[in-house]
Amino acid sequence: MTILITGASGLVGARLVKRLAEAGTACRALVRAGKSVPVGVDGVEGDLFDPASLAAAVIEVSAIVHLAAVFRTQDQDLIWKTNVEGTRNLIAAAKEHAPGVRLIMASTSNVYDRNGPHPGREDDEVHPEQAYPASKIAAERLLRESGLTWSIIRLPFVYGDGDGHLQALPGHVKLFGFHPAHRMSTLHHRDVATAMELALDGQFDGRIVNISDEAPTTVQELVHLVGGSMDDSADPVSDPWFLHMDGSLARDLGFRPRVRTVYQAAQEGRL
């Protein structure tokens, strides 16, 4: 089985493709010119806006893991273009040149309504207002209506393997106004791979699946884990379920995180 991975040079993709290749999966990475790929990975130059390069990239692959996305920018047009039109182009290439492919797309916990009454569930109605989550919902819809074999994995705050994501959190808490007692779902990079392995085996086919570890953790604890600090507060937490996902479906489908909590990751030197 050969799989194509988009976004293979990103924080999540670079770590995922390396793990999959080390596990013996034949991986093909869609990369822009000049980008390197790990040893054992077949790099193919291409772009989500270049249909000819996508056609060449999907030939003879049995699965596609679609991670490529834009969100760390104020350019909303670029977010919509990449996340929606890029996904549309990838789907079109797959349908024409690899119609039997399994297409797995990464999405985000940010799609769930900020003021939801419970942890985000896959069957919740969602109405995201910001460009990134709204564009991901639009891309999810394209995939669900594509006629391909599909699954959608909604990821929470992903961290670990020295990616710097958790370490940057202290600088973001004031900017985003997080309450120190606010809990959010997390997932180590190792378990992005755990989930993708199940998806590649077809365990998630035709489903949207939340993936998270076993212990949503307070922002204050996360900040302290990386040596930061934030003001204490006993005020009520507003929007207590924001960025907190219900992972029950994933457990029912066989997902078991290998890194169960951020504290385990810290103890094992995996941050």
PDB file of all heavy atoms in Angstrom, residues 23-56:
ATOM      1  N   ALA A  23       7.410   2.675  10.260  1.00  0.00           N
ATOM      2  CA  ALA A  23       6.588   1.493  10.522  1.00  0.00           C
ATOM      3  C   ALA A  23       6.450   0.595   9.300  1.00  0.00           C
ATOM      4  O   ALA A  23       5.799  -0.454   9.365  1.00  0.00           O
ATOM      5  CB  ALA A  23       5.205   1.921  11.010  1.00  0.00           C
ATOM      6  N   GLY A  24       7.057   1.007   8.190  1.00  0.00           N
ATOM      7  CA  GLY A  24       7.051   0.164   6.999  1.00  0.00           C
ATOM      8  C   GLY A  24       6.030   0.535   5.949  1.00  0.00           C
ATOM      9  O   GLY A  24       5.898  -0.181   4.935  1.00  0.00           O
ATOM     10  N   THR A  25       5.313   1.633   6.129  1.00  0.00           N
ATOM     11  CA  THR A  25       4.333   2.072   5.137  1.00  0.00           C
ATOM     12  C   THR A  25       5.046   2.800   4.008  1.00  0.00           C
ATOM     13  O   THR A  25       5.901   3.659   4.253  1.00  0.00           O
ATOM     14  CB  THR A  25       3.289   3.012   5.770  1.00  0.00           C
ATOM     15  OG1 THR A  25       2.634   2.331   6.832  1.00  0.00           O
ATOM     16  CG2 THR A  25       2.261   3.461   4.751  1.00  0.00           C
ATOM     17  N   ALA A  26       4.698   2.471   2.779  1.00  0.00           N
ATOM     18  CA  ALA A  26       5.262   3.169   1.629  1.00  0.00           C
ATOM     19  C   ALA A  26       4.601   4.537   1.528  1.00  0.00           C
ATOM     20  O   ALA A  26       3.397   4.645   1.262  1.00  0.00           O
ATOM     21  CB  ALA A  26       5.022   2.362   0.354  1.00  0.00           C
ATOM     22  N   CYS A  27       5.372   5.594   1.735  1.00  0.00           N
ATOM     23  CA  CYS A  27       4.825   6.950   1.802  1.00  0.00           C
ATOM     24  C   CYS A  27       5.325   7.801   0.642  1.00  0.00           C
ATOM     25  O   CYS A  27       6.516   7.783   0.299  1.00  0.00           O
ATOM     26  CB  CYS A  27       5.232   7.622   3.110  1.00  0.00           C
ATOM     27  SG  CYS A  27       4.543   6.870   4.587  1.00  0.00           S
ATOM     28  N   ARG A  28       4.409   8.553   0.084  1.00  0.00           N
ATOM     29  CA  ARG A  28       4.720   9.544  -0.940  1.00  0.00           C
ATOM     30  C   ARG A  28       4.285  10.896  -0.389  1.00  0.00           C
ATOM     31  O   ARG A  28       3.132  11.070   0.006  1.00  0.00           O
ATOM     32  CB  ARG A  28       3.964   9.228  -2.233  1.00  0.00           C
ATOM     33  CG  ARG A  28       4.240  10.172  -3.391  1.00  0.00           C
ATOM     34  CD  ARG A  28       3.381   9.800  -4.590  1.00  0.00           C
ATOM     35  NE  ARG A  28       3.659   8.446  -5.060  1.00  0.00           N
ATOM     36  CZ  ARG A  28       2.949   7.844  -6.014  1.00  0.00           C
ATOM     37  NH1 ARG A  28       1.899   8.450  -6.559  1.00  0.00           N
ATOM     38  NH2 ARG A  28       3.268   6.631  -6.398  1.00  0.00           N
ATOM     39  N   ALA A  29       5.176  11.862  -0.354  1.00  0.00           N
ATOM     40  CA  ALA A  29       4.878  13.161   0.235  1.00  0.00           C
ATOM     41  C   ALA A  29       4.765  14.215  -0.852  1.00  0.00           C
ATOM     42  O   ALA A  29       5.666  14.379  -1.678  1.00  0.00           O
ATOM     43  CB  ALA A  29       5.973  13.553   1.225  1.00  0.00           C
ATOM     44  N   LEU A  30       3.641  14.926  -0.860  1.00  0.00           N
ATOM     45  CA  LEU A  30       3.460  16.053  -1.769  1.00  0.00           C
ATOM     46  C   LEU A  30       4.146  17.261  -1.157  1.00  0.00           C
ATOM     47  O   LEU A  30       3.759  17.732  -0.088  1.00  0.00           O
ATOM     48  CB  LEU A  30       1.976  16.334  -1.973  1.00  0.00           C
ATOM     49  CG  LEU A  30       1.635  17.472  -2.941  1.00  0.00           C
ATOM     50  CD1 LEU A  30       1.972  17.066  -4.369  1.00  0.00           C
ATOM     51  CD2 LEU A  30       0.168  17.864  -2.825  1.00  0.00           C
ATOM     52  N   VAL A  31       5.182  17.756  -1.816  1.00  0.00           N
ATOM     53  CA  VAL A  31       5.965  18.874  -1.264  1.00  0.00           C
ATOM     54  C   VAL A  31       6.218  19.901  -2.356  1.00  0.00           C
ATOM     55  O   VAL A  31       6.231  19.584  -3.550  1.00  0.00           O
ATOM     56  CB  VAL A  31       7.314  18.397  -0.680  1.00  0.00           C
ATOM     57  CG1 VAL A  31       7.104  17.520   0.538  1.00  0.00           C
ATOM     58  CG2 VAL A  31       8.139  17.650  -1.733  1.00  0.00           C
ATOM     59  N   ARG A  32       6.434  21.111  -1.913  1.00  0.00           N
ATOM     60  CA  ARG A  32       6.809  22.159  -2.852  1.00  0.00           C
ATOM     61  C   ARG A  32       8.293  22.054  -3.178  1.00  0.00           C
ATOM     62  O   ARG A  32       9.052  21.433  -2.454  1.00  0.00           O
ATOM     63  CB  ARG A  32       6.470  23.526  -2.270  1.00  0.00           C
ATOM     64  CG  ARG A  32       4.965  23.763  -2.177  1.00  0.00           C
ATOM     65  CD  ARG A  32       4.635  25.121  -1.635  1.00  0.00           C
ATOM     66  NE  ARG A  32       3.198  25.359  -1.647  1.00  0.00           N
ATOM     67  CZ  ARG A  32       2.616  26.423  -1.125  1.00  0.00           C
ATOM     68  NH1 ARG A  32       3.350  27.342  -0.526  1.00  0.00           N
ATOM     69  NH2 ARG A  32       1.302  26.566  -1.183  1.00  0.00           N
ATOM     70  N   ALA A  33       8.673  22.683  -4.280  1.00  0.00           N
ATOM     71  CA  ALA A  33      10.064  22.623  -4.735  1.00  0.00           C
ATOM     72  C   ALA A  33      11.011  23.069  -3.632  1.00  0.00           C
ATOM     73  O   ALA A  33      10.771  24.071  -2.953  1.00  0.00           O
ATOM     74  CB  ALA A  33      10.244  23.505  -5.968  1.00  0.00           C
ATOM     75  N   GLY A  34      12.064  22.304  -3.443  1.00  0.00           N
ATOM     76  CA  GLY A  34      13.074  22.656  -2.466  1.00  0.00           C
ATOM     77  C   GLY A  34      12.868  22.073  -1.085  1.00  0.00           C
ATOM     78  O   GLY A  34      13.749  22.169  -0.241  1.00  0.00           O
ATOM     79  N   LYS A  35      11.702  21.469  -0.839  1.00  0.00           N
ATOM     80  CA  LYS A  35      11.432  20.870   0.459  1.00  0.00           C
ATOM     81  C   LYS A  35      11.977  19.444   0.492  1.00  0.00           C
ATOM     82  O   LYS A  35      11.837  18.685  -0.468  1.00  0.00           O
ATOM     83  CB  LYS A  35       9.930  20.833   0.730  1.00  0.00           C
ATOM     84  CG  LYS A  35       9.300  22.205   0.933  1.00  0.00           C
ATOM     85  CD  LYS A  35       9.656  22.800   2.272  1.00  0.00           C
ATOM     86  CE  LYS A  35       8.895  24.089   2.532  1.00  0.00           C
ATOM     87  NZ  LYS A  35       9.210  24.659   3.857  1.00  0.00           N
ATOM     88  N   SER A  36      12.597  19.086   1.615  1.00  0.00           N
ATOM     89  CA  SER A  36      13.149  17.750   1.760  1.00  0.00           C
ATOM     90  C   SER A  36      12.130  16.833   2.417  1.00  0.00           C
ATOM     91  O   SER A  36      11.151  17.289   3.012  1.00  0.00           O
ATOM     92  CB  SER A  36      14.426  17.784   2.593  1.00  0.00           C
ATOM     93  OG  SER A  36      14.156  18.282   3.897  1.00  0.00           O
ATOM     94  N   VAL A  37      12.366  15.535   2.301  1.00  0.00           N
ATOM     95  CA  VAL A  37      11.505  14.541   2.936  1.00  0.00           C
ATOM     96  C   VAL A  37      12.394  13.573   3.706  1.00  0.00           C
ATOM     97  O   VAL A  37      13.581  13.437   3.419  1.00  0.00           O
ATOM     98  CB  VAL A  37      10.657  13.773   1.896  1.00  0.00           C
ATOM     99  CG1 VAL A  37       9.699  14.713   1.184  1.00  0.00           C
ATOM    100  CG2 VAL A  37      11.549  13.040   0.897  1.00  0.00           C
ATOM    101  N   PRO A  38      11.842  12.885   4.704  1.00  0.00           N
ATOM    102  CA  PRO A  38      12.647  11.938   5.480  1.00  0.00           C
ATOM    103  C   PRO A  38      13.164  10.781   4.623  1.00  0.00           C
ATOM    104  O   PRO A  38      12.601  10.461   3.562  1.00  0.00           O
ATOM    105  CB  PRO A  38      11.664  11.430   6.543  1.00  0.00           C
ATOM    106  CG  PRO A  38      10.606  12.464   6.624  1.00  0.00           C
ATOM    107  CD  PRO A  38      10.474  13.008   5.241  1.00  0.00           C
ATOM    108  N   VAL A  39      14.217  10.161   5.092  1.00  0.00           N
ATOM    109  CA  VAL A  39      14.757   8.980   4.425  1.00  0.00           C
ATOM    110  C   VAL A  39      13.668   7.913   4.324  1.00  0.00           C
ATOM    111  O   VAL A  39      12.921   7.680   5.278  1.00  0.00           O
ATOM    112  CB  VAL A  39      15.968   8.432   5.206  1.00  0.00           C
ATOM    113  CG1 VAL A  39      16.450   7.115   4.594  1.00  0.00           C
ATOM    114  CG2 VAL A  39      17.092   9.455   5.233  1.00  0.00           C
ATOM    115  N   GLY A  40      13.548   7.321   3.168  1.00  0.00           N
ATOM    116  CA  GLY A  40      12.558   6.271   2.970  1.00  0.00           C
ATOM    117  C   GLY A  40      11.231   6.769   2.453  1.00  0.00           C
ATOM    118  O   GLY A  40      10.321   5.968   2.202  1.00  0.00           O
ATOM    119  N   VAL A  41      11.097   8.085   2.286  1.00  0.00           N
ATOM    120  CA  VAL A  41       9.854   8.670   1.791  1.00  0.00           C
ATOM    121  C   VAL A  41      10.083   9.173   0.372  1.00  0.00           C
ATOM    122  O   VAL A  41      11.100   9.803   0.074  1.00  0.00           O
ATOM    123  CB  VAL A  41       9.385   9.828   2.695  1.00  0.00           C
ATOM    124  CG1 VAL A  41       8.151  10.515   2.107  1.00  0.00           C
ATOM    125  CG2 VAL A  41       9.101   9.314   4.093  1.00  0.00           C
ATOM    126  N   ASP A  42       9.134   8.897  -0.505  1.00  0.00           N
ATOM    127  CA  ASP A  42       9.196   9.343  -1.891  1.00  0.00           C
ATOM    128  C   ASP A  42       8.601  10.739  -1.986  1.00  0.00           C
ATOM    129  O   ASP A  42       7.398  10.913  -1.768  1.00  0.00           O
ATOM    130  CB  ASP A  42       8.415   8.367  -2.777  1.00  0.00           C
ATOM    131  CG  ASP A  42       8.389   8.790  -4.235  1.00  0.00           C
ATOM    132  OD1 ASP A  42       9.285   9.547  -4.643  1.00  0.00           O
ATOM    133  OD2 ASP A  42       7.463   8.364  -4.949  1.00  0.00           O
ATOM    134  N   GLY A  43       9.419  11.724  -2.258  1.00  0.00           N
ATOM    135  CA  GLY A  43       8.923  13.090  -2.390  1.00  0.00           C
ATOM    136  C   GLY A  43       8.503  13.377  -3.819  1.00  0.00           C
ATOM    137  O   GLY A  43       9.228  13.061  -4.761  1.00  0.00           O
ATOM    138  N   VAL A  44       7.326  13.970  -3.980  1.00  0.00           N
ATOM    139  CA  VAL A  44       6.850  14.362  -5.295  1.00  0.00           C
ATOM    140  C   VAL A  44       6.480  15.840  -5.241  1.00  0.00           C
ATOM    141  O   VAL A  44       5.723  16.269  -4.374  1.00  0.00           O
ATOM    142  CB  VAL A  44       5.638  13.501  -5.746  1.00  0.00           C
ATOM    143  CG1 VAL A  44       4.512  13.540  -4.733  1.00  0.00           C
ATOM    144  CG2 VAL A  44       5.137  13.933  -7.117  1.00  0.00           C
ATOM    145  N   GLU A  45       7.083  16.637  -6.131  1.00  0.00           N
ATOM    146  CA  GLU A  45       6.815  18.066  -6.136  1.00  0.00           C
ATOM    147  C   GLU A  45       5.422  18.329  -6.684  1.00  0.00           C
ATOM    148  O   GLU A  45       5.002  17.739  -7.679  1.00  0.00           O
ATOM    149  CB  GLU A  45       7.863  18.810  -6.960  1.00  0.00           C
ATOM    150  CG  GLU A  45       9.241  18.817  -6.317  1.00  0.00           C
ATOM    151  CD  GLU A  45      10.227  19.695  -7.066  1.00  0.00           C
ATOM    152  OE1 GLU A  45       9.799  20.404  -8.023  1.00  0.00           O
ATOM    153  OE2 GLU A  45      11.416  19.681  -6.709  1.00  0.00           O
ATOM    154  N   GLY A  46       4.719  19.226  -5.997  1.00  0.00           N
ATOM    155  CA  GLY A  46       3.373  19.541  -6.452  1.00  0.00           C
ATOM    156  C   GLY A  46       2.752  20.617  -5.602  1.00  0.00           C
ATOM    157  O   GLY A  46       3.335  21.101  -4.635  1.00  0.00           O
ATOM    158  N   ASP A  47       1.529  20.970  -5.970  1.00  0.00           N
ATOM    159  CA  ASP A  47       0.830  22.061  -5.306  1.00  0.00           C
ATOM    160  C   ASP A  47      -0.666  21.798  -5.424  1.00  0.00           C
ATOM    161  O   ASP A  47      -1.133  21.297  -6.446  1.00  0.00           O
ATOM    162  CB  ASP A  47       1.195  23.387  -5.987  1.00  0.00           C
ATOM    163  CG  ASP A  47       0.710  24.586  -5.207  1.00  0.00           C
ATOM    164  OD1 ASP A  47      -0.522  24.842  -5.225  1.00  0.00           O
ATOM    165  OD2 ASP A  47       1.537  25.264  -4.573  1.00  0.00           O
ATOM    166  N   LEU A  48      -1.414  22.143  -4.392  1.00  0.00           N
ATOM    167  CA  LEU A  48      -2.860  21.925  -4.419  1.00  0.00           C
ATOM    168  C   LEU A  48      -3.551  22.751  -5.493  1.00  0.00           C
ATOM    169  O   LEU A  48      -4.705  22.470  -5.832  1.00  0.00           O
ATOM    170  CB  LEU A  48      -3.458  22.255  -3.050  1.00  0.00           C
ATOM    171  CG  LEU A  48      -3.108  21.308  -1.899  1.00  0.00           C
ATOM    172  CD1 LEU A  48      -3.688  21.833  -0.590  1.00  0.00           C
ATOM    173  CD2 LEU A  48      -3.623  19.898  -2.183  1.00  0.00           C
ATOM    174  N   PHE A  49      -2.872  23.754  -6.030  1.00  0.00           N
ATOM    175  CA  PHE A  49      -3.462  24.580  -7.075  1.00  0.00           C
ATOM    176  C   PHE A  49      -2.921  24.232  -8.463  1.00  0.00           C
ATOM    177  O   PHE A  49      -3.176  24.954  -9.428  1.00  0.00           O
ATOM    178  CB  PHE A  49      -3.229  26.059  -6.770  1.00  0.00           C
ATOM    179  CG  PHE A  49      -3.686  26.440  -5.398  1.00  0.00           C
ATOM    180  CD1 PHE A  49      -2.800  27.007  -4.504  1.00  0.00           C
ATOM    181  CD2 PHE A  49      -4.980  26.217  -4.983  1.00  0.00           C
ATOM    182  CE1 PHE A  49      -3.214  27.340  -3.217  1.00  0.00           C
ATOM    183  CE2 PHE A  49      -5.406  26.544  -3.707  1.00  0.00           C
ATOM    184  CZ  PHE A  49      -4.520  27.110  -2.826  1.00  0.00           C
ATOM    185  N   ASP A  50      -2.197  23.137  -8.556  1.00  0.00           N
ATOM    186  CA  ASP A  50      -1.628  22.675  -9.832  1.00  0.00           C
ATOM    187  C   ASP A  50      -2.217  21.304 -10.149  1.00  0.00           C
ATOM    188  O   ASP A  50      -1.685  20.281  -9.711  1.00  0.00           O
ATOM    189  CB  ASP A  50      -0.103  22.609  -9.726  1.00  0.00           C
ATOM    190  CG  ASP A  50       0.557  22.133 -11.017  1.00  0.00           C
ATOM    191  OD1 ASP A  50      -0.160  21.791 -11.971  1.00  0.00           O
ATOM    192  OD2 ASP A  50       1.807  22.097 -11.048  1.00  0.00           O
ATOM    193  N   PRO A  51      -3.322  21.239 -10.893  1.00  0.00           N
ATOM    194  CA  PRO A  51      -3.987  19.958 -11.152  1.00  0.00           C
ATOM    195  C   PRO A  51      -3.083  18.911 -11.780  1.00  0.00           C
ATOM    196  O   PRO A  51      -3.205  17.727 -11.473  1.00  0.00           O
ATOM    197  CB  PRO A  51      -5.130  20.347 -12.097  1.00  0.00           C
ATOM    198  CG  PRO A  51      -5.424  21.777 -11.759  1.00  0.00           C
ATOM    199  CD  PRO A  51      -4.083  22.377 -11.445  1.00  0.00           C
ATOM    200  N   ALA A  52      -2.169  19.331 -12.667  1.00  0.00           N
ATOM    201  CA  ALA A  52      -1.286  18.352 -13.306  1.00  0.00           C
ATOM    202  C   ALA A  52      -0.390  17.678 -12.278  1.00  0.00           C
ATOM    203  O   ALA A  52      -0.163  16.461 -12.330  1.00  0.00           O
ATOM    204  CB  ALA A  52      -0.439  19.030 -14.389  1.00  0.00           C
ATOM    205  N   SER A  53       0.114  18.446 -11.319  1.00  0.00           N
ATOM    206  CA  SER A  53       0.987  17.851 -10.303  1.00  0.00           C
ATOM    207  C   SER A  53       0.183  16.932  -9.385  1.00  0.00           C
ATOM    208  O   SER A  53       0.692  15.898  -8.939  1.00  0.00           O
ATOM    209  CB  SER A  53       1.684  18.936  -9.488  1.00  0.00           C
ATOM    210  OG  SER A  53       0.784  19.617  -8.629  1.00  0.00           O
ATOM    211  N   LEU A  54      -1.067  17.262  -9.117  1.00  0.00           N
ATOM    212  CA  LEU A  54      -1.906  16.397  -8.288  1.00  0.00           C
ATOM    213  C   LEU A  54      -2.223  15.094  -9.005  1.00  0.00           C
ATOM    214  O   LEU A  54      -2.245  14.024  -8.390  1.00  0.00           O
ATOM    215  CB  LEU A  54      -3.198  17.121  -7.905  1.00  0.00           C
ATOM    216  CG  LEU A  54      -3.052  18.321  -6.967  1.00  0.00           C
ATOM    217  CD1 LEU A  54      -4.407  18.954  -6.709  1.00  0.00           C
ATOM    218  CD2 LEU A  54      -2.392  17.915  -5.656  1.00  0.00           C
ATOM    219  N   ALA A  55      -2.457  15.187 -10.298  1.00  0.00           N
ATOM    220  CA  ALA A  55      -2.722  13.970 -11.069  1.00  0.00           C
ATOM    221  C   ALA A  55      -1.549  13.009 -10.974  1.00  0.00           C
ATOM    222  O   ALA A  55      -1.717  11.796 -10.761  1.00  0.00           O
ATOM    223  CB  ALA A  55      -3.004  14.329 -12.529  1.00  0.00           C
ATOM    224  N   ALA A  56      -0.334  13.533 -11.116  1.00  0.00           N
ATOM    225  CA  ALA A  56       0.851  12.681 -11.018  1.00  0.00           C
ATOM    226  C   ALA A  56       1.030  12.136  -9.602  1.00  0.00           C
ATOM    227  O   ALA A  56       1.448  10.988  -9.407  1.00  0.00           O
ATOM    228  CB  ALA A  56       2.088  13.478 -11.426  1.00  0.00           C
TER     229      ALA A  56
END
